[in-house]
Amino acid sequence: MAVTRRQKVVWWLRGAALAAFLVYLPGYLSSRQGGLVEVERLLNHPVLLLGTSIALAVASAVAQFEFRTRWAQIGCAAVVSPLIAVGAMVGALAYIFGGEGQAERRPGPGHPDRVLTVTNIAFSIDPIYRVELVSGTGWSARHWSMGTWDTEEGDFIRVDWAGPDLITITRETKLTAFDVLPDGSLGEPRDLPLPRNGDAPPP
């Protein structure tokens, strides 16, 4: 392979690796508090995108070595091609089958643009729930996490809208309350005593 041609291939592989990383970056940032829901859904795929980026970076490192003989070039192709193919296959399978369970959606009272989502993310029989608040609609919708709750440890019973601007997570010995702020984001969690029978939940 001529030097100029080899250099072009190396830089093409490096550019593709950088492009895959830059595509993943907005998805990762959107997975954090207040991130855009649709951007996270479309781009937060680390196995697919980061795996592709790493595979291409490794391929570029191999391709930059000078292989003078035909057999050396064939050997290089034999190493690089399966690496890219396997990485793409694993990433594609993770993208197709790596989805989580169906989220239960509960619109807020008086606020259909505020939705409480409860998703079972467990791979076992005992549920593990990820609880989030989604505020807004369409591409402007943002999400705030209220944590991941393991029912096996007995510290999660249910989550409810306790009012238009209040979400409570009922635990064995107390309530964890989240205030929904006027902009649709969440306030800091606060622990409250469990109401006695017949009492209304604390505000």
Side-chain angles (χ1 to χ4, degrees):
M1 183 184 297
V3 175
T4 55
R5 182 183 174 191
R6 185 175 69 251
Q7 288 176 340
K8 288 180 180 179
V9 171
V10 169
W11 284 109
W12 184 89
L13 290 171
R14 289 177 178 174
L18 179 61
F21 175 76
L22 292 177
V23 168
Y24 166 69
L25 189 58
Y28 167 73
L29 295 176
S30 293
S31 70
R32 305 169 73 179
Q33 291 284 66
L36 293 169
V37 174
E38 289 300 315
V39 174
E40 181 194 16
R41 182 181 65 83
L42 291 172
L43 302 180
N44 187 29
H45 301 287
V47 175
L48 175 62
L49 294 173
L50 279 186
T52 299
S53 179
I54 293 171
L56 290 172
V58 172
S60 72
V62 174
Q64 72 180 348
F65 292 107
E66 183 176 359
F67 299 97
R68 295 181 179 276
T69 67
R70 181 175 183 81
W71 285 108
Q73 294 173 9
I74 293 173
C76 173
V79 171
V80 173
S81 299
L83 179 65
I84 296 176
V86 170
M89 183 182 301
V90 171
L93 290 174
Y95 181 84
I96 296 171
F97 297 106
E100 299 171 342
Q102 186 69 30
E104 178 186 353
R105 299 172 60 85
R106 307 178 191 173
H111 288 279
D113 59 335
R114 296 178 182 177
V115 179
L116 180 62
T117 66
V118 184
T119 309
N120 183 7
I121 61 173
F123 292 101
S124 60
I125 297 176
D126 297 312
I128 298 175
Y129 293 112
R130 185 182 68 193
V131 182
E132 289 188 322
L133 171 68
V134 176
S135 298
T137 58
W139 285 97
S140 64
R142 296 181 179 273
H143 66 97
W144 282 267
S145 174
M146 282 170 273
T148 301
W149 302 85
D150 191 345
T151 57
E152 186 179 11
E153 298 177 357
D155 202 33
F156 176 88
I157 298 176
R158 67 176 189 270
V159 57
D160 303 286
W161 283 100
D165 302 310
L166 181 64
I167 299 169
T168 58
I169 294 177
T170 304
R171 305 161 71 181
E172 283 194 346
T173 59
K174 57 188 173 183
L175 292 175
T176 297
F178 293 84
D179 293 304
V180 183
L181 304 180
D183 63 355
S185 62
L186 286 177
E188 292 297 320
R190 50 195 174 94
D191 289 334
L192 304 172
L194 282 173
R196 294 172 297 177
N197 290 337
D199 291 347

mmCIF file of all heavy atoms in Angstrom, residues 104 106 116 118 129 131 146 149-151 154-162 167-172 174-178 194-197 199-202:
data_model
loop_
_atom_site.group_PDB
_atom_site.id
_atom_site.type_symbol
_atom_site.label_atom_id
_atom_site.label_comp_id
_atom_site.label_asym_id
_atom_site.label_seq_id
_atom_site.Cartn_x
_atom_site.Cartn_y
_atom_site.Cartn_z
ATOM 1 N N GLU A 104 -44.316 2.509 32.442
ATOM 2 C CA GLU A 104 -45.675 2.900 32.824
ATOM 3 C C GLU A 104 -45.703 4.415 32.941
ATOM 4 O O GLU A 104 -44.876 5.020 33.621
ATOM 5 C CB GLU A 104 -46.043 2.256 34.156
ATOM 6 C CG GLU A 104 -47.425 2.638 34.647
ATOM 7 C CD GLU A 104 -47.719 2.117 36.049
ATOM 8 O OE1 GLU A 104 -46.894 1.356 36.585
ATOM 9 O OE2 GLU A 104 -48.760 2.511 36.605
ATOM 10 N N ARG A 106 -47.736 7.967 33.867
ATOM 11 C CA ARG A 106 -48.822 8.522 34.670
ATOM 12 C C ARG A 106 -48.794 10.046 34.567
ATOM 13 O O ARG A 106 -47.976 10.714 35.215
ATOM 14 C CB ARG A 106 -48.668 8.122 36.137
ATOM 15 C CG ARG A 106 -48.518 6.616 36.363
ATOM 16 C CD ARG A 106 -48.319 6.333 37.827
ATOM 17 N NE ARG A 106 -47.912 4.963 38.076
ATOM 18 C CZ ARG A 106 -47.541 4.492 39.251
ATOM 19 N NH1 ARG A 106 -47.524 5.312 40.307
ATOM 20 N NH2 ARG A 106 -47.173 3.227 39.396
ATOM 21 N N LEU A 116 -45.110 11.067 34.945
ATOM 22 C CA LEU A 116 -44.313 10.208 35.821
ATOM 23 C C LEU A 116 -44.120 8.876 35.101
ATOM 24 O O LEU A 116 -45.091 8.238 34.699
ATOM 25 C CB LEU A 116 -45.041 10.012 37.146
ATOM 26 C CG LEU A 116 -44.387 9.138 38.215
ATOM 27 C CD1 LEU A 116 -43.063 9.723 38.652
ATOM 28 C CD2 LEU A 116 -45.332 8.978 39.399
ATOM 29 N N VAL A 118 -42.438 4.986 35.188
ATOM 30 C CA VAL A 118 -41.912 3.932 36.059
ATOM 31 C C VAL A 118 -41.538 2.760 35.158
ATOM 32 O O VAL A 118 -42.406 2.164 34.511
ATOM 33 C CB VAL A 118 -42.952 3.491 37.105
ATOM 34 C CG1 VAL A 118 -42.349 2.469 38.057
ATOM 35 C CG2 VAL A 118 -43.473 4.701 37.879
ATOM 36 N N TYR A 129 -37.131 -0.711 39.798
ATOM 37 C CA TYR A 129 -37.837 0.348 39.085
ATOM 38 C C TYR A 129 -36.978 1.601 38.967
ATOM 39 O O TYR A 129 -36.398 2.071 39.949
ATOM 40 C CB TYR A 129 -39.133 0.699 39.800
ATOM 41 C CG TYR A 129 -40.159 -0.400 39.769
ATOM 42 C CD1 TYR A 129 -40.517 -1.088 40.933
ATOM 43 C CD2 TYR A 129 -40.777 -0.780 38.579
ATOM 44 C CE1 TYR A 129 -41.456 -2.106 40.907
ATOM 45 C CE2 TYR A 129 -41.715 -1.793 38.538
ATOM 46 C CZ TYR A 129 -42.051 -2.454 39.709
ATOM 47 O OH TYR A 129 -42.968 -3.468 39.681
ATOM 48 N N VAL A 131 -37.472 5.444 38.259
ATOM 49 C CA VAL A 131 -38.571 6.409 38.335
ATOM 50 C C VAL A 131 -38.068 7.757 37.822
ATOM 51 O O VAL A 131 -37.040 8.262 38.285
ATOM 52 C CB VAL A 131 -39.099 6.543 39.774
ATOM 53 C CG1 VAL A 131 -40.281 7.509 39.822
ATOM 54 C CG2 VAL A 131 -39.507 5.172 40.328
ATOM 55 N N MET A 146 -35.655 10.235 39.641
ATOM 56 C CA MET A 146 -35.923 10.115 41.077
ATOM 57 C C MET A 146 -35.272 8.873 41.661
ATOM 58 O O MET A 146 -35.592 8.445 42.762
ATOM 59 C CB MET A 146 -37.433 10.094 41.323
ATOM 60 C CG MET A 146 -38.057 11.470 41.246
ATOM 61 S SD MET A 146 -39.861 11.416 41.243
ATOM 62 C CE MET A 146 -40.164 11.216 39.501
ATOM 63 N N TRP A 149 -35.001 1.998 42.290
ATOM 64 C CA TRP A 149 -35.503 1.440 43.544
ATOM 65 C C TRP A 149 -35.640 -0.071 43.426
ATOM 66 O O TRP A 149 -36.302 -0.578 42.520
ATOM 67 C CB TRP A 149 -36.856 2.072 43.886
ATOM 68 C CG TRP A 149 -36.769 3.562 44.000
ATOM 69 C CD1 TRP A 149 -36.844 4.470 42.988
ATOM 70 C CD2 TRP A 149 -36.548 4.324 45.189
ATOM 71 N NE1 TRP A 149 -36.708 5.739 43.474
ATOM 72 C CE2 TRP A 149 -36.523 5.680 44.823
ATOM 73 C CE3 TRP A 149 -36.393 3.978 46.538
ATOM 74 C CZ2 TRP A 149 -36.337 6.703 45.747
ATOM 75 C CZ3 TRP A 149 -36.214 4.998 47.459
ATOM 76 C CH2 TRP A 149 -36.177 6.345 47.062
ATOM 77 N N ASP A 150 -35.006 -0.777 44.373
ATOM 78 C CA ASP A 150 -34.988 -2.230 44.382
ATOM 79 C C ASP A 150 -36.045 -2.748 45.341
ATOM 80 O O ASP A 150 -35.965 -2.547 46.553
ATOM 81 C CB ASP A 150 -33.601 -2.726 44.800
ATOM 82 C CG ASP A 150 -33.424 -4.221 44.579
ATOM 83 O OD1 ASP A 150 -34.439 -4.905 44.375
ATOM 84 O OD2 ASP A 150 -32.275 -4.690 44.625
ATOM 85 N N THR A 151 -37.051 -3.417 44.812
ATOM 86 C CA THR A 151 -38.130 -3.928 45.661
ATOM 87 C C THR A 151 -37.683 -5.106 46.515
ATOM 88 O O THR A 151 -38.286 -5.394 47.553
ATOM 89 C CB THR A 151 -39.320 -4.377 44.801
ATOM 90 O OG1 THR A 151 -38.874 -5.369 43.868
ATOM 91 C CG2 THR A 151 -39.910 -3.200 44.037
ATOM 92 N N GLY A 154 -37.007 -4.328 50.032
ATOM 93 C CA GLY A 154 -38.160 -3.882 50.807
ATOM 94 C C GLY A 154 -38.211 -2.390 51.060
ATOM 95 O O GLY A 154 -38.928 -1.936 51.954
ATOM 96 N N ASP A 155 -37.467 -1.599 50.299
ATOM 97 C CA ASP A 155 -37.433 -0.158 50.544
ATOM 98 C C ASP A 155 -38.246 0.619 49.519
ATOM 99 O O ASP A 155 -38.114 1.826 49.414
ATOM 100 C CB ASP A 155 -35.981 0.330 50.531
ATOM 101 C CG ASP A 155 -35.836 1.652 51.282
ATOM 102 O OD1 ASP A 155 -36.572 1.851 52.267
ATOM 103 O OD2 ASP A 155 -34.996 2.478 50.883
ATOM 104 N N PHE A 156 -39.056 -0.067 48.741
ATOM 105 C CA PHE A 156 -39.901 0.601 47.753
ATOM 106 C C PHE A 156 -41.236 -0.132 47.706
ATOM 107 O O PHE A 156 -41.294 -1.344 47.504
ATOM 108 C CB PHE A 156 -39.247 0.578 46.368
ATOM 109 C CG PHE A 156 -40.108 1.174 45.283
ATOM 110 C CD1 PHE A 156 -40.063 2.521 45.022
ATOM 111 C CD2 PHE A 156 -40.966 0.377 44.534
ATOM 112 C CE1 PHE A 156 -40.854 3.080 44.017
ATOM 113 C CE2 PHE A 156 -41.759 0.919 43.535
ATOM 114 C CZ PHE A 156 -41.704 2.276 43.277
ATOM 115 N N ILE A 157 -42.327 0.635 47.891
ATOM 116 C CA ILE A 157 -43.661 0.047 47.809
ATOM 117 C C ILE A 157 -44.394 0.576 46.586
ATOM 118 O O ILE A 157 -44.887 -0.196 45.771
ATOM 119 C CB ILE A 157 -44.464 0.334 49.100
ATOM 120 C CG1 ILE A 157 -43.745 -0.308 50.301
ATOM 121 C CG2 ILE A 157 -45.891 -0.194 48.966
ATOM 122 C CD1 ILE A 157 -44.393 -0.003 51.639
ATOM 123 N N ARG A 158 -44.436 1.899 46.447
ATOM 124 C CA ARG A 158 -45.100 2.466 45.272
ATOM 125 C C ARG A 158 -44.693 3.934 45.117
ATOM 126 O O ARG A 158 -44.100 4.528 46.018
ATOM 127 C CB ARG A 158 -46.620 2.362 45.405
ATOM 128 C CG ARG A 158 -47.244 3.217 46.495
ATOM 129 C CD ARG A 158 -48.765 3.122 46.492
ATOM 130 N NE ARG A 158 -49.355 4.091 47.385
ATOM 131 C CZ ARG A 158 -49.610 3.871 48.666
ATOM 132 N NH1 ARG A 158 -49.302 2.694 49.213
ATOM 133 N NH2 ARG A 158 -50.154 4.818 49.410
ATOM 134 N N VAL A 159 -45.034 4.501 43.957
ATOM 135 C CA VAL A 159 -44.799 5.911 43.701
ATOM 136 C C VAL A 159 -46.102 6.512 43.193
ATOM 137 O O VAL A 159 -46.831 5.866 42.430
ATOM 138 C CB VAL A 159 -43.647 6.109 42.684
ATOM 139 C CG1 VAL A 159 -43.928 5.381 41.381
ATOM 140 C CG2 VAL A 159 -43.384 7.589 42.422
ATOM 141 N N ASP A 160 -46.424 7.725 43.651
ATOM 142 C CA ASP A 160 -47.717 8.335 43.337
ATOM 143 C C ASP A 160 -47.566 9.837 43.130
ATOM 144 O O ASP A 160 -46.654 10.472 43.665
ATOM 145 C CB ASP A 160 -48.717 8.125 44.486
ATOM 146 C CG ASP A 160 -48.922 6.663 44.830
ATOM 147 O OD1 ASP A 160 -49.597 5.960 44.066
ATOM 148 O OD2 ASP A 160 -48.391 6.232 45.872
ATOM 149 N N TRP A 161 -48.513 10.370 42.348
ATOM 150 C CA TRP A 161 -48.739 11.807 42.361
ATOM 151 C C TRP A 161 -49.550 12.119 43.632
ATOM 152 O O TRP A 161 -50.667 11.631 43.778
ATOM 153 C CB TRP A 161 -49.530 12.247 41.145
ATOM 154 C CG TRP A 161 -48.741 12.324 39.868
ATOM 155 C CD1 TRP A 161 -48.717 11.395 38.877
ATOM 156 C CD2 TRP A 161 -47.884 13.395 39.454
ATOM 157 N NE1 TRP A 161 -47.886 11.816 37.856
ATOM 158 C CE2 TRP A 161 -47.370 13.041 38.183
ATOM 159 C CE3 TRP A 161 -47.509 14.618 40.033
ATOM 160 C CZ2 TRP A 161 -46.498 13.863 37.480
ATOM 161 C CZ3 TRP A 161 -46.633 15.433 39.329
ATOM 162 C CH2 TRP A 161 -46.141 15.062 38.078
ATOM 163 N N ALA A 162 -48.989 12.923 44.514
ATOM 164 C CA ALA A 162 -49.716 13.331 45.711
ATOM 165 C C ALA A 162 -50.380 14.685 45.525
ATOM 166 O O ALA A 162 -51.030 15.200 46.432
ATOM 167 C CB ALA A 162 -48.771 13.384 46.916
ATOM 168 N N ILE A 167 -44.688 14.580 44.126
ATOM 169 C CA ILE A 167 -44.587 13.139 43.876
ATOM 170 C C ILE A 167 -44.028 12.491 45.133
ATOM 171 O O ILE A 167 -43.057 12.989 45.719
ATOM 172 C CB ILE A 167 -43.667 12.845 42.677
ATOM 173 C CG1 ILE A 167 -44.230 13.495 41.409
ATOM 174 C CG2 ILE A 167 -43.501 11.340 42.467
ATOM 175 C CD1 ILE A 167 -43.254 13.476 40.243
ATOM 176 N N THR A 168 -44.641 11.404 45.554
ATOM 177 C CA THR A 168 -44.164 10.706 46.750
ATOM 178 C C THR A 168 -43.828 9.259 46.413
ATOM 179 O O THR A 168 -44.534 8.604 45.641
ATOM 180 C CB THR A 168 -45.202 10.727 47.887
ATOM 181 O OG1 THR A 168 -46.427 10.133 47.424
ATOM 182 C CG2 THR A 168 -45.453 12.136 48.362
ATOM 183 N N ILE A 169 -42.748 8.783 46.989
ATOM 184 C CA ILE A 169 -42.361 7.382 46.905
ATOM 185 C C ILE A 169 -42.561 6.777 48.281
ATOM 186 O O ILE A 169 -41.929 7.198 49.259
ATOM 187 C CB ILE A 169 -40.909 7.228 46.440
ATOM 188 C CG1 ILE A 169 -40.772 7.730 44.997
ATOM 189 C CG2 ILE A 169 -40.461 5.767 46.536
ATOM 190 C CD1 ILE A 169 -39.354 7.693 44.459
ATOM 191 N N THR A 170 -43.464 5.820 48.370
ATOM 192 C CA THR A 170 -43.780 5.188 49.647
ATOM 193 C C THR A 170 -42.785 4.071 49.919
ATOM 194 O O THR A 170 -42.595 3.177 49.093
ATOM 195 C CB THR A 170 -45.211 4.613 49.643
ATOM 196 O OG1 THR A 170 -46.125 5.658 49.323
ATOM 197 C CG2 THR A 170 -45.564 4.032 50.997
ATOM 198 N N ARG A 171 -42.161 4.147 51.108
ATOM 199 C CA ARG A 171 -41.208 3.129 51.541
ATOM 200 C C ARG A 171 -41.736 2.480 52.817
ATOM 201 O O ARG A 171 -42.825 2.832 53.281
ATOM 202 C CB ARG A 171 -39.847 3.788 51.739
ATOM 203 C CG ARG A 171 -39.397 4.527 50.477
ATOM 204 C CD ARG A 171 -38.315 5.547 50.730
ATOM 205 N NE ARG A 171 -37.058 4.894 51.036
ATOM 206 C CZ ARG A 171 -35.939 5.555 51.328
ATOM 207 N NH1 ARG A 171 -35.937 6.878 51.352
ATOM 208 N NH2 ARG A 171 -34.830 4.912 51.578
ATOM 209 N N GLU A 172 -41.031 1.529 53.362
ATOM 210 C CA GLU A 172 -41.555 0.797 54.511
ATOM 211 C C GLU A 172 -41.738 1.685 55.731
ATOM 212 O O GLU A 172 -42.700 1.535 56.477
ATOM 213 C CB GLU A 172 -40.621 -0.370 54.860
ATOM 214 C CG GLU A 172 -40.765 -1.557 53.930
ATOM 215 C CD GLU A 172 -40.097 -2.799 54.498
ATOM 216 O OE1 GLU A 172 -39.315 -2.667 55.465
ATOM 217 O OE2 GLU A 172 -40.359 -3.888 53.972
ATOM 218 N N LYS A 174 -41.083 5.358 55.694
ATOM 219 C CA LYS A 174 -41.205 6.792 55.445
ATOM 220 C C LYS A 174 -41.587 7.046 53.997
ATOM 221 O O LYS A 174 -41.605 6.131 53.161
ATOM 222 C CB LYS A 174 -39.887 7.507 55.765
ATOM 223 C CG LYS A 174 -38.703 6.970 54.988
ATOM 224 C CD LYS A 174 -37.402 7.575 55.492
ATOM 225 C CE LYS A 174 -36.188 6.922 54.840
ATOM 226 N NZ LYS A 174 -34.906 7.439 55.372
ATOM 227 N N LEU A 175 -41.892 8.294 53.724
ATOM 228 C CA LEU A 175 -42.139 8.758 52.358
ATOM 229 C C LEU A 175 -40.938 9.574 51.889
ATOM 230 O O LEU A 175 -40.365 10.339 52.664
ATOM 231 C CB LEU A 175 -43.383 9.643 52.298
ATOM 232 C CG LEU A 175 -44.754 9.024 52.550
ATOM 233 C CD1 LEU A 175 -45.813 10.116 52.565
ATOM 234 C CD2 LEU A 175 -45.086 7.995 51.488
ATOM 235 N N THR A 176 -40.590 9.423 50.637
ATOM 236 C CA THR A 176 -39.627 10.317 50.014
ATOM 237 C C THR A 176 -40.399 11.197 49.040
ATOM 238 O O THR A 176 -41.054 10.689 48.125
ATOM 239 C CB THR A 176 -38.527 9.542 49.284
ATOM 240 O OG1 THR A 176 -37.796 8.755 50.231
ATOM 241 C CG2 THR A 176 -37.562 10.494 48.594
ATOM 242 N N ALA A 177 -40.376 12.495 49.265
ATOM 243 C CA ALA A 177 -41.185 13.436 48.492
ATOM 244 C C ALA A 177 -40.301 14.270 47.569
ATOM 245 O O ALA A 177 -39.185 14.662 47.928
ATOM 246 C CB ALA A 177 -41.968 14.351 49.425
ATOM 247 N N PHE A 178 -40.823 14.528 46.367
ATOM 248 C CA PHE A 178 -40.153 15.380 45.383
ATOM 249 C C PHE A 178 -41.126 16.475 44.968
ATOM 250 O O PHE A 178 -42.230 16.185 44.498
ATOM 251 C CB PHE A 178 -39.748 14.581 44.143
ATOM 252 C CG PHE A 178 -38.685 13.543 44.382
ATOM 253 C CD1 PHE A 178 -39.028 12.283 44.854
ATOM 254 C CD2 PHE A 178 -37.354 13.826 44.136
ATOM 255 C CE1 PHE A 178 -38.057 11.315 45.063
ATOM 256 C CE2 PHE A 178 -36.376 12.868 44.341
ATOM 257 C CZ PHE A 178 -36.728 11.611 44.812
ATOM 258 N N LEU A 194 -44.494 8.479 57.447
ATOM 259 C CA LEU A 194 -45.666 7.875 56.831
ATOM 260 C C LEU A 194 -46.927 8.393 57.506
ATOM 261 O O LEU A 194 -46.975 8.524 58.733
ATOM 262 C CB LEU A 194 -45.615 6.348 56.975
ATOM 263 C CG LEU A 194 -44.690 5.596 56.022
ATOM 264 C CD1 LEU A 194 -44.633 4.130 56.419
ATOM 265 C CD2 LEU A 194 -45.164 5.735 54.587
ATOM 266 N N PRO A 195 -47.972 8.729 56.732
ATOM 267 C CA PRO A 195 -49.221 9.181 57.356
ATOM 268 C C PRO A 195 -49.888 8.030 58.097
ATOM 269 O O PRO A 195 -49.786 6.869 57.707
ATOM 270 C CB PRO A 195 -50.062 9.625 56.155
ATOM 271 C CG PRO A 195 -49.507 8.865 54.993
ATOM 272 C CD PRO A 195 -48.042 8.706 55.269
ATOM 273 N N ARG A 196 -50.561 8.374 59.173
ATOM 274 C CA ARG A 196 -51.329 7.363 59.905
ATOM 275 C C ARG A 196 -52.598 7.019 59.125
ATOM 276 O O ARG A 196 -52.988 7.729 58.223
ATOM 277 C CB ARG A 196 -51.687 7.889 61.294
ATOM 278 C CG ARG A 196 -50.478 8.089 62.203
ATOM 279 C CD ARG A 196 -50.871 8.791 63.491
ATOM 280 N NE ARG A 196 -51.383 10.144 63.213
ATOM 281 C CZ ARG A 196 -51.858 10.963 64.139
ATOM 282 N NH1 ARG A 196 -51.888 10.584 65.404
ATOM 283 N NH2 ARG A 196 -52.275 12.159 63.804
ATOM 284 N N ASN A 197 -53.207 5.932 59.454
ATOM 285 C CA ASN A 197 -54.430 5.502 58.775
ATOM 286 C C ASN A 197 -55.468 6.617 58.837
ATOM 287 O O ASN A 197 -55.801 7.134 59.889
ATOM 288 C CB ASN A 197 -55.008 4.248 59.417
ATOM 289 C CG ASN A 197 -54.135 3.031 59.159
ATOM 290 O OD1 ASN A 197 -53.370 3.022 58.195
ATOM 291 N ND2 ASN A 197 -54.223 2.032 60.008
ATOM 292 N N ASP A 199 -55.133 9.581 57.634
ATOM 293 C CA ASP A 199 -54.531 10.901 57.468
ATOM 294 C C ASP A 199 -54.151 11.113 56.005
ATOM 295 O O ASP A 199 -53.817 10.190 55.280
ATOM 296 C CB ASP A 199 -53.286 11.045 58.333
ATOM 297 C CG ASP A 199 -53.637 11.086 59.808
ATOM 298 O OD1 ASP A 199 -54.838 11.247 60.111
ATOM 299 O OD2 ASP A 199 -52.723 10.941 60.651
ATOM 300 N N ALA A 200 -54.177 12.353 55.589
ATOM 301 C CA ALA A 200 -53.710 12.705 54.253
ATOM 302 C C ALA A 200 -52.182 12.715 54.243
ATOM 303 O O ALA A 200 -51.558 12.979 55.279
ATOM 304 C CB ALA A 200 -54.256 14.073 53.836
ATOM 305 N N PRO A 201 -51.569 12.449 53.104
ATOM 306 C CA PRO A 201 -50.105 12.543 53.030
ATOM 307 C C PRO A 201 -49.636 13.941 53.358
ATOM 308 O O PRO A 201 -50.310 14.925 53.058
ATOM 309 C CB PRO A 201 -49.801 12.186 51.564
ATOM 310 C CG PRO A 201 -51.020 11.472 51.082
ATOM 311 C CD PRO A 201 -52.175 12.053 51.844
ATOM 312 N N PRO A 202 -48.487 14.092 54.011
ATOM 313 C CA PRO A 202 -47.956 15.427 54.333
ATOM 314 C C PRO A 202 -47.723 16.228 53.077
ATOM 315 O O PRO A 202 -47.390 15.666 52.028
ATOM 316 C CB PRO A 202 -46.634 15.100 55.045
ATOM 317 C CG PRO A 202 -46.747 13.684 55.477
ATOM 318 C CD PRO A 202 -47.625 13.008 54.481
#
